[in-house]
Amino acid sequence: MDFISSLAIWQWLIVLAVPPAVVALYFLKLRRQPLEVPSTYLWKKSIEDLHVNSLWQRIRQNLLLYLQLLVLGLIILALFRPGWRSQNLKNKRHIFLLDHSASMNASDVAPSRLLEAKRQALAMIDAMGSGDSGMVVSFSDIARVEQGFTENKRDLHRAVANIKASNRPTALDEALRTVVGMSKSGREPGNLAGRVGSSADEDQKPEAPPTTLYILSDGKFPPVQGLSLRTLEPKFIPIGHSNAINLSIVAFGVRRNEQHEGRWQAFGSVQNFGEEAVTTHVELSHNGNKIDASQVTVQPGDTAGVAFDLTEGESGILEMQITHDDVLHEDNRAWVAVNSSRKPKVLLVTDGNEALEMALATSRARELAETTTAKPEVLNTKEHQQAASSGSYDLIIFDRCRPIRSPRANTVYIGALPPSPLDEATEITANAKSLNDSEKSARGADTPIPERWWSFGPRLENPQVIDLNRSHPLMQWLDMGDVELIEGRLVLVPPGGTTLLESTQGPILAIAPRAGFEDVVMGFEINGVNQDGNRSVNTNWPIRSSFPSFIFAALSYLGGNNGAAAGASVKPGQPLMLKSELPVDQLEVHTPQGARLTAHRGKAGSFQFSSTEALGPYEIYEGSKVIERFTVNLFDPLESSIRPAKDGSIQIGIETVQGTVGYEPVRRETWKWLLLAGLVVLLLEWYIYHRRVYV
Amino acid sequence: MATAETSLLSPKLLAQLEKLELVSRKIFRGRMKGERRSKRKGQSVEFADFRSYVPGDDLRFIDWNTYARLDRLFLKLFLEEEDLHFYALIDASSSMGFGTPTKLEYARQLAGALSFIGLIRGDRVRIETLGQSPRTPGPVLRGRRSMWRMMEYLSGLQPGESISLAQGAKNFFARNSGKGILLLISDLMDKTGYETALRYLVSQQMDVYIVQVLSTEEIDPDIQGDLKLIDCEDADIAEITASAPLIARYKRTLNAFIDDARIFCTRRGMNYLLARNDVPVEQLVSGYLRQRGMVK
């Protein structure tokens, strides 16, 4: 508590002379008229009867004086401007950006980093001055505006309280783009709808007032590139201890044991994010029953592998758990689903391709997939169209032919192009009168038509293969240097596509996504038809070892068979495409918490499921039968490495934001309250003065 | 003298008083024979009763005729005529100087009136104030001729004595040991209390009359505003804000005070009478005192 004199010395002298003057006036005012009486005996007795005791009587007689002196005292104290250094927020607008990613669940700051961040955010909201407005945004790998700009602290409190812990990874970019857009557009609560970003008339808008952006996080996210914060003043408030240690399972899987036929192997990787070597027990459970255990020592910053040999057991859930007690528990357990193996269904549509049929008929290919062959005429049959549109096939290979509509499956087109969505739309519009809405939707009537679609460029004579994309799983193990082509077509790839094989003139093999599926287009035929209409060989590829390898890779990658019965494992929040051979419209998914969610069949025929927030095993039911399992694991070294950002700073664009406390010292004054108290006392004095007439 | 007489007792009042006499309810021995028949049996011409002779009795009162007839000794008793001692004790403290007429003036009138009755009946009358010096007791008066001395004495009384009721009563009995009627005229406004003084009076086996004189200003005060009340006797100060509720409370206190005094006196066989200074003395004597049996 300190004081600031608000008056000059001579003014103080005048002010300090007031209380004695009041006392003098009080006694003058109380100078009673003397009156001689025979006896004061009865009068005194009456006054005694009137009041409980003489002490109170004396006090009451001077109560008004005391109250008046109290009022003066409060006013004089207010003139001294008493106050104290307090912590207050600087600007008038504040954005509170709270990280609720997986690493914020660490308990190195009791009870957890997220709760500490919320506590600090609430304290800063409380420190907001009158007229200040605030916004609350939570972020992990996605951003969510919990509360737009408002002056209502209660709403801000509620918004902060509503932020829940998650297991998602962290990415600050989206959150920053959101808040930059909202702050520069000056959008106020109640008008949150609309596209974030610049608008046409933005330049005419007045510059948004200075806004402080408080980032409450452990800073465990990649540097933000190419973003300007404009009028936002970032303040990074690091949460967490720099000496926090964590041991994490960063990988866990199951596969066939290559040395022992019929045996399986579960393998995992444990990483030590601390500064000391740690020895921990690793336990393996199958459907909740412990089946094996091991011990592993992990050096600081290093990763140690652990493997368990398994006899091929029933389908279910394998769980690996480390017993080391650290500050982040979410990454101490990992799951892998073992599904009853299901061979992908592959359809080859050709009017005859010996090389292709032979490659698909090998024992290895039969292990990988269940292949059926059909003539191109089948494409016009209703049965095939229904099967293709219901997702019965995992992969369809079209050899020199193409369907009317793209099937709900991955495809390989050899010497042909996938049907354009524009053609499909025209065809659907033509038949619109005979279709109901559900059919329209099923046929992709409202599928957005891309600006560019697959097309063939000019015919190429003897194109030379000069490059292939080895980073793609389809081309990973291939050597195409000895492959010769007689002729081909240049493949023009739609946006988002990837060139797999490059000739001297351009791409001749490419892959591109299509509504949850992938299409591979080969610009050259394997067996061509010459001008006489006879078959002819177009390439020597089938007699090269790379051809069956490509076919096996296609069966594995596009058929969805990874060679093991392990179910899919995704990261928290990552969407998943589920498949069903049966023509059902919805699947039931049981989450690790026991919730029952429904996945509906999407336009692409597959079932989109994105409620993968919780870590653990998920089971997919078709009716009352479990048809598949998949798991959600953290497996994120960036989240598991829970030591706060290096040097307590974060990088936003070209700006380095040093970690700081969120407050800036501000002097809080109490003169308003003192004057208010003085007014209350004055009212009390007035009341007592008037009451005295009647007592 | 004439001035004193007329100022104290009007001719009309004197004429009324001529017809009255003081009455005592107690038997007491006077020093001189008066004009009244005493309740004591003694020597007079008026026969009262016979009583059996007991050794030691005066043989002169034996009724020999009865002895001759009954052969037993009887004493013949006669009503004895005795004089009555009448004491008027006046409170002449400063507080008695208030009112119109002043309470002391009223007390002088009342004491004068009753003393006059005693004088014309041959009673022994003594008028004193509470603060009377023991060495200079008040005059002892007897007979109509002493009236002027009485008037002179009463006229000379001035308020201003500073003595408590108890001390005054003590001093009074130190000077006077005779029995008779005692009339105390006071406002009883003694901060040390009147109870001790009245107990003294009761202990002396006298026929005690207490007349509490209060002025109209005391009974119904007409004051307002913030006042500093100064006690005229001890200069004690009471600061009050004279509001209607306070006046009402004062009146309740006064009534309680009067009731307490009345009850106190009645329980101890004393006659209590409240006299307001706006009630004429004639009305008090011929009315209230007659009803109470002090005069007949």
Side-chain angles (χ1 to χ4, degrees):
Chain A
M1 174 76 80
D2 56 4
F3 298 90
I4 298 173
S5 175
S6 55
L7 298 176
I9 298 275
W10 64 272
Q11 290 170 322
W12 273 119
L13 290 172
I14 293 170
V15 168
L16 293 175
V18 173
V22 167
V23 174
L25 283 171
Y26 184 84
F27 283 111
L28 280 175
K29 185 180 78 69
L30 275 187
R31 193 167 169 184
R32 299 168 185 272
Q33 192 181 346
L35 177 69
E36 200 172 41
V37 291
S39 175
T40 55
Y41 176 60
L42 292 177
W43 288 109
K44 287 208 163 186
K45 232 174 149 166
S46 302
I47 294 168
E48 279 172 18
D49 291 347
L50 187 63
H51 304 293
V52 177
N53 55 55
S54 58
L55 175 66
W56 167 240
Q57 162 67 359
R58 282 199 295 275
I59 288 170
R60 197 191 70 87
Q61 280 181 341
N62 291 314
L63 189 58
L64 295 182
L65 172 66
Y66 298 149
L67 290 175
Q68 287 159 9
L69 289 177
L70 181 59
V71 171
L72 281 169
L74 288 169
I75 291 168
I76 289 168
L77 195 59
L79 288 171
F80 271 114
R81 286 181 61 194
W84 58 86
R85 306 297 289 180
S86 121
Q87 296 199 304
N88 205 348
L89 304 182
K90 186 181 161 190
N91 287 326
K92 297 296 282 180
R93 296 211 312 171
H94 319 277
I95 299 174
F96 303 99
L97 208 56
L98 278 88
D99 181 357
H100 68 131
S101 61
S103 58
M104 293 296 282
N105 296 326
S107 57
D108 56 335
V109 181
S112 77
R113 289 181 178 184
L114 177 62
L115 291 175
E116 173 63 15
K118 285 165 83 169
R119 188 193 65 76
Q120 289 199 29
L122 292 174
M124 285 191 280
I125 288 167
D126 288 336
M128 277 168 56
S130 61
D132 287 14
S133 62
M135 178 164 85
V136 177
V137 178
S138 64
F139 76 96
S140 51
D141 58 337
I142 54 168
R144 177 187 161 88
V145 179
E146 302 283 350
Q147 173 63 55
F149 278 114
T150 180
E151 293 178 17
N152 189 331
K153 290 186 183 180
R154 191 182 297 176
D155 288 349
L156 293 170
H157 266 264
R158 193 170 47 242
V160 170
N162 284 343
I163 297 172
K164 301 280 186 298
S166 79
N167 297 305
R168 287 173 168 267
T170 322
L172 187 60
D173 311 43
E174 189 188 340
L176 289 181
R177 286 192 178 89
T178 302
V179 298
V180 166
M182 291 188 74
S183 64
K184 75 182 178 187
S185 65
R187 194 170 309 150
E188 292 301 324
N191 185 24
L192 293 175
R195 196 166 56 86
V196 171
S198 61
S199 58
D201 58 342
E202 209 170 88
D203 296 336
Q204 283 73 42
K205 286 188 179 177
E207 188 68 16
T211 306
T212 313
L213 173 67
Y214 298 95
I215 304 166
L216 294 100
S217 167
D218 50 14
K220 299 305 289 183
F221 41 76
V224 180
Q225 303 292 345
L227 187 78
S228 167
L229 292 178
R230 299 182 178 239
T231 58
L232 294 178
E233 294 177 27
K235 282 194 184 299
F236 171 50
I237 298 152
I239 309 286
H241 293 313
S242 57
N243 58 355
I245 55 165
N246 186 34
L247 202 64
S248 161
I249 300 173
V250 292
F252 180 47
V254 64
R255 67 183 172 199
R256 278 196 183 86
N257 192 323
E258 299 297 336
Q259 282 82 32
H260 302 93
E261 188 67 32
R263 292 178 75 90
W264 290 71
Q265 196 174 42
F267 57 93
S269 295
V270 180
Q271 191 167 351
N272 181 0
F273 295 95
E275 293 180 330
E276 291 176 359
V278 176
T279 301
T280 181
H281 286 281
V282 184
E283 295 174 347
L284 185 73
S285 307
H286 180 258
N287 290 342
N289 303 311
K290 286 190 173 55
I291 55 171
D292 205 346
S294 178
Q295 186 170 293
V296 65
T297 299
V298 195
Q299 296 303 318
D302 205 355
T303 304
V306 59
F308 299 96
D309 285 329
L310 308 166
T311 54
E312 187 167 9
E314 292 178 7
S315 60
I317 297 295
L318 279 172
E319 180 186 348
M320 185 169 122
Q321 183 171 4
I322 52 176
T323 56
H324 179 70
D325 187 28
D326 55 20
V327 294
L328 186 64
H329 298 157
E330 280 74 4
D331 58 3
N332 292 353
R333 298 169 77 191
W335 299 264
V336 65
V338 181
N339 293 318
S340 47
S341 65
R342 182 188 72 86
K343 284 183 182 174
K345 294 181 79 175
V346 177
L347 174 66
L348 170 63
V349 185
T350 180
D351 60 354
N353 190 328
E354 198 178 346
L356 200 55
E357 287 170 32
M358 278 178 66
L360 291 170
T362 60
S363 59
R364 181 70 177 135
R366 285 204 303 273
E367 272 180 26
L368 288 175
E370 184 186 317
T371 308
T372 52
T373 308
K375 294 285 183 189
E377 293 75 31
V378 82
L379 297 176
N380 297 321
T381 64
K382 265 197 172 169
E383 291 79 10
H384 167 78
Q385 287 173 3
Q386 208 163 24
S389 62
S390 65
S392 296
Y393 297 105
D394 295 294
L395 171 64
I396 303 179
I397 303 169
F398 297 99
D399 181 26
R400 290 169 292 137
C401 61
R402 68 174 189 173
I404 298 165
R405 281 182 301 279
S406 293
R408 284 176 179 165
N410 293 330
T411 57
V412 175
Y413 292 89
I414 301 171
L417 287 171
S420 164
L422 189 62
D423 299 341
E424 291 178 32
T426 310
E427 189 261 341
I428 287 164
T429 310
N431 299 328
K433 290 179 182 176
S434 61
L435 293 172
N436 58 31
D437 286 346
S438 62
E439 281 176 314
K440 271 192 222 175
S441 171
R443 293 182 181 214
D446 49 359
T447 303
I449 297 165
E451 292 173 15
R452 280 179 57 205
W453 189 245
W454 289 101
S455 59
F456 281 139
R459 183 177 295 276
L460 308 172
E461 295 291 336
N462 297 320
Q464 294 294 307
V465 176
I466 58 164
D467 194 15
L468 57 86
N469 186 350
R470 287 187 195 280
S471 64
H472 198 278
L474 280 173
M475 314 299 286
Q476 216 165 359
W477 312 110
L478 306 186
D479 179 13
M480 302 277 288
D482 53 357
V483 174
E484 293 176 2
L485 304 171
I486 295 173
E487 65 173 22
R489 302 288 296 271
L490 197 66
V491 178
L492 301 176
V493 190
T498 306
T499 301
L500 298 177
L501 200 62
E502 191 105 27
S503 73
T504 47
Q505 282 88 0
I508 51 172
L509 178 64
I511 184 168
R514 167 184 49 85
F517 300 101
E518 287 185 291
D519 298 326
V520 175
V521 175
M522 207 181 281
F524 56 93
E525 299 168 350
I526 295 169
N527 286 336
V529 178
N530 60 19
Q531 293 172 345
D532 303 333
N534 299 322
R535 291 187 189 178
S536 62
V537 176
N538 190 43
T539 175
N540 65 348
W541 195 22
I543 60 169
R544 301 293 178 216
S545 61
S546 57
F547 182 70
S549 296
F550 173 78
I551 296 300
F552 297 152
L555 292 177
S556 295
Y557 178 75
L558 297 171
N561 193 331
N562 56 9
S569 172
V570 295
K571 290 190 175 184
Q574 190 178 321
L576 189 74
M577 302 295 293
L578 308 176
K579 286 188 176 180
S580 171
E581 294 174 25
L582 299 173
V584 291
D585 288 331
Q586 59 184 42
L587 296 173
E588 192 177 84
V589 181
H590 291 198
T591 68
Q593 286 85 14
R596 298 184 175 195
L597 306 175
T598 305
H600 294 275
R601 191 187 287 276
K603 294 166 194 167
S606 57
F607 297 85
Q608 181 88 6
F609 184 74
S610 56
S611 300
T612 54
E613 294 286 346
L615 298 171
Y618 291 69
E619 290 178 322
I620 305 163
Y621 280 77
E622 213 168 60
S624 60
K625 180 186 164 197
V626 179
I627 58 163
E628 201 177 339
R629 297 176 182 84
F630 67 93
T631 55
V632 176
N633 294 292
L634 191 58
F635 294 163
D636 190 335
L638 201 61
E639 292 302 314
S640 294
S641 174
I642 58 166
R643 279 197 232 172
K646 190 182 175 184
D647 305 328
S649 65
I650 56 172
Q651 192 75 29
I652 298 176
I654 57 168
E655 192 175 357
T656 301
V657 183
Q658 287 296 331
T660 177
V661 291
Y663 303 111
E664 293 192 7
V666 164
R667 192 171 190 279
R668 280 197 177 274
E669 298 198 15
T670 56
W671 63 267
K672 287 179 189 172
W673 298 108
L674 289 168
L675 286 183
L676 190 66
L679 183 65
V680 170
V681 174
L682 198 62
L683 287 170
L684 181 69
E685 192 265 353
W686 177 85
Y687 173 76
I688 289 173
Y689 174 77
H690 282 273
R691 281 287 296 173
R692 285 183 75 231
V693 176
Y694 305 104
V695 294
Chain B
M1 296 295 169
T3 311
E5 181 192 341
T6 50
S7 64
L8 266 178
L9 304 168
S10 63
K12 187 187 171 187
L13 175 60
L14 289 173
Q16 279 184 355
L17 297 175
E18 290 272 3
K19 300 167 191 169
L20 299 174
E21 64 172 299
L22 296 170
V23 177
S24 173
R25 293 167 300 167
K26 295 187 177 180
I27 298 168
F28 54 88
R29 183 189 291 273
R31 287 192 178 84
M32 292 179 66
K33 288 186 178 177
E35 285 191 359
R36 69 185 62 252
R37 266 182 302 204
S38 163
K39 284 190 177 181
R40 276 180 61 88
K41 312 298 184 285
Q43 302 167 35
S44 71
V45 292
E46 199 168 338
F47 171 76
D49 200 357
F50 289 105
R51 175 166 71 76
S52 295
Y53 169 80
V54 289
D57 280 343
D58 195 339
L59 297 176
R60 289 177 298 168
F61 296 106
I62 293 174
D63 187 349
W64 295 108
N65 293 329
T66 312
Y67 176 71
R69 204 176 298 157
L70 299 173
D71 200 19
R72 282 182 64 191
L73 289 172
F74 285 95
L75 255 63
K76 202 173 184 182
L77 301 179
F78 298 90
L79 288 175
E80 188 162 9
E81 289 183 352
E82 293 178 339
D83 62 343
L84 181 71
H85 288 207
F86 175 75
Y87 298 95
L89 186 56
I90 298 170
D91 179 0
S93 60
S94 302
S95 63
M96 292 293 284
F98 281 84
T100 310
T102 64
K103 292 187 282 182
L104 182 63
E105 200 174 323
Y106 195 85
R108 283 192 318 221
Q109 275 188 312
L110 182 60
L114 293 172
S115 299
F116 176 75
I117 294 169
L119 291 177
I120 60 172
R121 296 291 172 207
D123 292 331
R124 184 175 179 271
V125 174
R126 187 167 207 172
I127 303 172
E128 284 195 347
T129 61
L130 282 169
Q132 195 86 43
S133 168
R135 297 189 178 178
T136 55
V140 177
L141 309 163
R142 192 190 289 273
R144 189 184 287 267
R145 286 172 304 172
S146 303
M147 195 181 93
W148 307 113
R149 279 178 60 212
M150 175 192 78
M151 296 291 187
E152 192 180 355
Y153 174 79
L154 286 174
S155 302
L157 292 183
Q158 289 301 324
E161 290 181 351
S162 176
I163 190 166
S164 66
L165 276 172
Q167 192 57 47
K170 228 177 196 179
N171 294 346
F172 172 79
F173 286 114
R175 294 191 300 270
N176 304 289
S177 55
K179 303 286 183 290
I181 299 174
L182 170 62
L183 172 70
L184 172 64
I185 308 169
S186 169
D187 55 8
L188 299 182
M189 295 284 185
D190 190 331
K191 284 178 182 166
T192 58
Y194 54 78
E195 293 87 350
T196 313
L198 298 190
R199 283 196 194 99
Y200 272 124
L201 304 184
V202 172
S203 67
Q204 297 302 317
Q205 302 295 317
M206 295 181 91
D207 200 358
V208 182
Y209 287 83
I210 308 292
V211 177
Q212 186 179 11
V213 183
L214 291 175
S215 65
T216 50
E217 290 83 356
E218 285 173 302
I219 294 168
D220 192 8
D222 182 22
I223 52 175
Q224 267 188 329
D226 289 334
L227 296 170
K228 184 162 74 174
L229 303 180
I230 304 163
D231 194 314
C232 65
E233 290 183 3
D234 56 5
D236 183 32
I237 288 170
E239 290 189 337
I240 62 158
T241 300
S243 56
L246 182 66
I247 300 291
R249 210 175 292 268
Y250 167 81
K251 285 180 179 177
R252 285 200 292 275
T253 309
L254 177 66
N255 290 333
F257 179 74
I258 292 166
D259 286 344
D260 288 349
R262 179 182 288 112
I263 291 164
F264 186 88
C265 295
T266 308
R267 281 183 179 168
R268 287 159 181 77
M270 295 182 278
N271 292 290
Y272 171 88
L273 182 68
L274 174 66
R276 293 171 59 121
N277 68 343
D278 57 347
V279 175
V281 174
E282 297 90 327
Q283 195 179 322
L284 189 75
V285 175
S286 59
Y288 298 122
L289 290 176
R290 205 168 183 173
Q291 284 171 15
R292 296 291 172 91
M294 186 180 180
V295 293
K296 65 176 183 182

